[in-house]
Structures are given as structure tokens and as C-alpha cells.
């Protein structure tokens, strides 16, 4: 009769992993391809370089490498994982899900694997889903990966988009953390909010697809419009997750934002009144890697000791759809 029943099951972060393709493409190199310059790209976006997948290197390959590192860092075996989610807008094939390829690459024959399509918000959507699945008892340990090969869907003659994106993958493992009544500082996801508004399709989309054109298509974006929506939407979800927990901007130890543009990150952090020193920036080295950008930033933050046990972390992202979301977690 004295045994204590858990009051809530949290989704706790166990470990991270990352993989970036070997080839680095600098702004100067892009200047030989289209009419642009390091000065313009850096001033408008903060990007200096990005990684690009080699011929034949696919999203599932990047995802598998990041997943292997996360498993290794966690000291876990694939047998310990019961679900794989891959957030991606650049799957290897129209079907099957890239996640099932990763599952096969990792030698996993139990459980389930599926892809999640929310473009740049995919990883944050994935955290929201992982929290729901772990919290409800439908999963115990989830491997969540954000992986992209955006270089394959860029129009290399369009300077307004081709300079912005890069390839890469980041992975996290989340597991059930049963917290007893009275524990005031549980580790794990504390609050999350996901949003979308499909009316903005034409501001950021790929002009192809199996059902629409029977082709893969290329990325199209009205950057200035996306920029305005991004700052407003990110500030809105950031405020929403703080409100859910009763925390304030001063409680945040580290922000792990989607790395699309340094100016968007600065403006959002300013709007939320968060200390700019607490923001993890990788956009200069990776460009916008869509669903991979947040877990890549997280992995670097962990490696550099910028996120420590007990820290309060804010994740946020916005992308095509539009989709957007934020997650507040205790590391
Ligand atoms: O992951 C989520 C989705 N993506 C984003 O969040 C991206 C959101 N948007 C942005 O980051 C910015 O809007 C961009 C970086 C895309 C563009 O910055 P901007 O300050 O909004 O520039 P702009 O589009 O107003 O373009 C300014 C000028 C234009 O020339 P004119 O019309 O003023 O003569 C462009 O043609 O810069 C020109 N331009 C370039 N010049 C050199 C556009 N791209 C380039 C380029 N190099 N690569």
C-alpha cells in the first residue's frame, strides 16, 4: 500500500547524434554558380558554408549515421528502441518511408518506423509526437531523426533560394521517465505546441510531386513573406509553451531554434525577450537543413557543454505548409 504511483510519464532526452556529409560548399563557391557573394549571403542570413551529400548518398544514409551515433552515445542497442520516426521533406523514394530504410540499416526487425512530413518544423513536430506516444504508454524509447538532402530539390539557377539550404541529419533518443508526485523538476518535455496554416502553400513549396506532376520538383519560396510570418509565428508558439508551464523567458537556459536565417532567430529572441547569449547558432556552418537543423544544433550544444542536466531548453521551428511549433523541455 505504500508504493508510490507515478503521477506523470515524461519523454526524457537520453542522447544525441549527428552526421554531416563530407563536402563543404562555401559562399564563394556558390558565387561561381550564380550571381551572389559571401557578403550578401552572410549579411542577409548569417550563412557562411553548408554541407552537401555526395552522389548516391541518400537521406537514409545520413539518418542512419546520425542514429548510430545517438545509440552509441546513449550506450544503447537497437533492440532497446521500439519506434523510429524520421522527419524529412526529402525522402529517398516516394515510398516506402525513409524511416523503414533506416530501420533495416540499423538491423531492427521489431517495432515500427514511419516518416513525418512537416518540412522545417518536422523535428519539433516529432518531439510533440514522441511526448504524446511516450506519455500515453504507446512507446517506451523512441529514436527521432531529422534528415534532409535539400541539395536535391534546389533550383541551382535561382540565387534567391539555392544559397540558403544544406544537407545533414541529427538524431535524438527519448525514453519514458516516470515521475512521482511532488517532483518539481522532472526531466523531459514539459510543454509543446504545434500549428499549421495551409493557406500559405504558395509562399514555400516544391513545384512537383507524385500526384501533382509525377516529378520530384524544385523548391520555390517568397522569402520576404516567409520571413515576416516566421517571426510572428515563432514568437506566438514560444509564448504558448512558456504559458503552459508558467515559466518566463528568464527561465530559459538555451534556445535551440530552427537555423534558417540568423536575422529570423535574432528577431524572434528579441520579441520573446530571451537573453541572446543563450541562443545556439549553427546556421553559419550548416545553412538551412530543414528538419535536421534543430537536432544538429542540439547535438553541437551537447558536445560543447552548452546544455547541461537540469537546463530549460526551448526548441522552435517554422517551415513550409506553413507549419510551426515549439517545445519546452528540462534536459
Ligand atoms: O526554413 C523556413 C523557410 N525559410 C526561411 O525562413 C527563409 C525566410 N526568408 C529569408 O531568410 C530572407 O527573406 C532571404 C534571405 C530569403 C532574403 O532576404 P531579404 O532581405 O528578404 O532579401 P530580398 O528577398 O528582399 O532581396 C533583396 C535583394 C533583391 O534585389 P533587388 O530586387 O532589391 O534589386 C534580390 O534580387 O537581394 C537580391 N538577392 C540576392 N543578391 C545576391 C536575392 N538573392 C540574392 C543572392 N545574392 N543570393
Amino acid at each position: 500500500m505504500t508504493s508510490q504511483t507515478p503521477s506523470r510519464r515524461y519523454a526524457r532526452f537520453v542522447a544525441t547524434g549527428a552526421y554531416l556529409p563530407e563536402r563543404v560548399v562555401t559562399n564563394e563557391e556558390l558565387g561561381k554558380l550564380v550571381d551572389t557573394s559571401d557578403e550578401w549571403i552572410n549579411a542577409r542570413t548569417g550563412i557562411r558554408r553548408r554541407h552537401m551529400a555526395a552522389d548516391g548518398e541518400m537521406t537514409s544514409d545520413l539518418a542512419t549515421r546520425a542514429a548510430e551515433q545517438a545509440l552509441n552515445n546513449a550506450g544503447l542497442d537497437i533492440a532497446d528502441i521500439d519506434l523510429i520516426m524520421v522527419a524529412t521533406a526529402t525522402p529517398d523514394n516516394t515510398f516506402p518511408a525513409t524511416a523503414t530504410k533506416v530501420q533495416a540499416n540499423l538491423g531492427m526487425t521489431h517495432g515500427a518506423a514511419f516518416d513525418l512530413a512537416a518540412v522545417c518544423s518536422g523535428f519539433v513536430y516529432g518531439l510533440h509526437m514522441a511526448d504524446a506516444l511516450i506519455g500515453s504508454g504507446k512507446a517506451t524509447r523512441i529514436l527521432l531523426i531529422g534528415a534532409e538532402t535539400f541539395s536535391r530539390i534546389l533550383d541551382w539557377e535561382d540565387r534567391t533560394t539555392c544559397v540558403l539550404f544544406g544537407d545533414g541529419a541529427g538524431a535524438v533518443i527519448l525514453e519514458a521517465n516516470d515521475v512521482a508526485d511532488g517532483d518539481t523538476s522532472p526531466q523531459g518535455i514539459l510543454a509543446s505546441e504545434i500549428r499549421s496554416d495551409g493557406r500559405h502553400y504558395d509562399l514555400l513549396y516544391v513545384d512537383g510531386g507524385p500526384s501533382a506532376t509525377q516529378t520530384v520538383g524544385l523548391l520555390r519560396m517568397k522569402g520576404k513573406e516567409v520571413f515576416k510570418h516566421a517571426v510572428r509565428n515563432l514568437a506566438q508558439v514560444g509564448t504558448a509553451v512558456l504559458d503552459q508551464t508558467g515559466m518566463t523567458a528568464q527561465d530559459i537556459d538555451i534556445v535551440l531554434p530552427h537555423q534558417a536565417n540568423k536575422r529570423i532567430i535574432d528577431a524572434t529572441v528579441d520579441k520573446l525577450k530571451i537573453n541572446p547569449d543563450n541562443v545556439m547558432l549553427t546556421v553559419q556552418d550548416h545553412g538551412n537543413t530543414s528538419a535536421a537543423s534543430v537536432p544538429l544544433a542540439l547535438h553541437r550544444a551537447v558536445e560543447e557543454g552548452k546544455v547541461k542536466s537540469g537546463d530549460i531548453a526551448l526548441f522552435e521551428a517554422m517551415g513550409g505548409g506553413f507549419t510551426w511549433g515549439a517545445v519546452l523541455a528540462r534536459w
Side-chain angles (χ1 to χ4, degrees), residues 79-309:
D80 302 316
I81 302 294
D82 46 30
L83 179 68
I84 299 175
M85 278 193 264
V86 175
T88 188
T90 46
D92 293 10
N93 300 87
T94 301
F95 82 80
T98 298
T100 58
K101 283 187 147 188
V102 175
Q103 182 188 28
N105 289 347
L106 295 173
M108 178 178 172
T109 53
H110 64 279
F114 66 87
D115 286 0
L116 201 159
V119 205
C120 300
S121 314
F123 183 80
V124 169
Y125 266 55
L127 290 178
H128 180 82
M129 290 300 300
D131 183 40
L133 292 169
I134 288 175
S136 66
K138 293 204 184 292
T140 305
R141 214 178 267 123
I142 296 177
L143 173 58
L144 170 64
I145 307 163
E148 304 279 13
T149 46
F150 257 53
S151 61
R152 305 272 157 70
I153 55 161
L154 296 177
D155 178 347
W156 289 103
E157 289 178 0
D158 176 10
R159 68 173 183 171
T160 69
T161 53
C162 76
V163 303
L164 303 174
F165 297 89
D167 301 338
V172 297
I173 295 167
L174 296 127
E175 70 177 10
N177 176 27
D178 287 329
V179 173
D181 269 338
D183 184 340
T184 53
S185 48
Q187 280 183 312
I189 294 175
L190 305 173
S192 64
E193 172 132 326
I194 57 168
R195 292 291 319 279
S196 69
D197 186 343
R199 290 174 300 173
H200 304 296
Y201 167 91
D202 63 332
L203 298 182
L204 179 52
Y205 66 105
V206 168
D207 64 4
S211 188
T213 59
Q214 299 82 58
T215 61
V216 171
L218 297 174
L219 183 147
R220 306 293 174 204
M221 178 168 71
K222 294 190 178 117
K224 227 179 183 46
E225 299 302 315
V226 177
F227 193 113
K228 282 184 227 156
H229 282 274
V231 176
R232 191 180 328 132
N233 292 341
L234 290 170
Q236 176 254 314
V237 279
T239 304
V241 291
L242 283 171
D243 288 350
Q244 280 181 40
T245 57
M247 289 191 190
T248 69
Q250 283 70 48
D251 294 313
I252 295 172
D253 297 300
I254 185 158
V255 185
L256 299 141
H258 173 43
Q259 311 280 325
N261 185 324
K262 186 175 181 302
R263 284 160 55 216
I264 293 178
I265 295 171
D266 290 346
T268 306
V269 163
D270 185 58
K271 231 175 163 175
L272 287 168
K273 299 190 168 50
I274 295 171
N275 180 355
D277 294 340
N278 295 351
V279 179
M280 190 65 202
L281 273 184
T282 50
V283 67
Q284 67 282 1
D285 297 326
H286 302 162
N288 180 349
T289 56
S290 182
S293 95
V294 173
L296 278 169
L298 173 63
H299 179 73
R300 189 182 279 185
V302 170
E303 290 229 303
E304 292 179 359
K306 288 185 176 155
V307 54
K308 301 170 293 300
S309 181

